[in-house]
Amino acid sequence: QVQLVESGGGLVQPGGSLELSCVAHGIVFGIYAMGWYRQAPGKQRELVITITGHGITNIADSVKDRFTISRDKNKSTVNLQMNSLKPEDTAVYFCNVVEADPDRTNYWGQGTQVTVSS
């Protein structure tokens, strides 16, 4: 059974920084990609940033130059460093893993709240 364990998040002032981490357990076929999505109140879930096993990243324009992703393949861990946070970054952030099975199965974490407010 696949389980994604997220940590980090919380309350931060505008301009501050936070780091989120996610560890994937129970992956059998290896990981094709890992990353983060977010969902603000009343809005749809949206891509933040993802990274493949080959190091290819996909990042939302709204967070370019502020957010970076890193991945430890040996530990099936992905980290999201968020700098220069803005109130509009407030959302529940979800870890996502795409397993390298024939179906490219998606798994989701339970979500962690990030609130940017003074």
Side-chain angles (χ1 to χ4, degrees), residues 12 14-15 38-41 43 46 48 62-63 66-67 84-93 114-117:
V12 64
R38 68 186 182 186
Q39 187 167 15
K43 296 187 177 180
E46 64 177 7
V48 177
S62 60
V63 304
R66 299 189 298 121
F67 291 12
S84 302
L85 283 161
K86 305 175 181 180
E88 51 264 43
D89 294 318
T90 296
V92 178
Y93 284 69
V114 171
T115 302
V116 185
S117 175

Side-chain angles (χ1 to χ4, degrees), residues 50-61:
T50 61
I51 185 167
T52 70
H54 298 288
I56 298 172
T57 58
N58 187 16
I59 185 169
D61 289 340

Side-chain angles (χ1 to χ4, degrees), residues 15-35:
S17 298
L18 279 176
E19 184 176 29
L20 305 181
S21 295
C22 175
V23 181
H25 300 282
I27 296 291
V28 175
F29 291 93
I31 295 174
Y32 173 75
M34 296 183 80

Side-chain angles (χ1 to χ4, degrees), residues 80-101:
L80 176 63
Q81 178 65 43
M82 304 183 291
N83 299 324
S84 302
L85 283 161
K86 305 175 181 180
E88 51 264 43
D89 294 318
T90 296
V92 178
Y93 284 69
F94 295 90
C95 178
N96 172 259
V97 168
V98 181
E99 190 170 10
D101 62 323

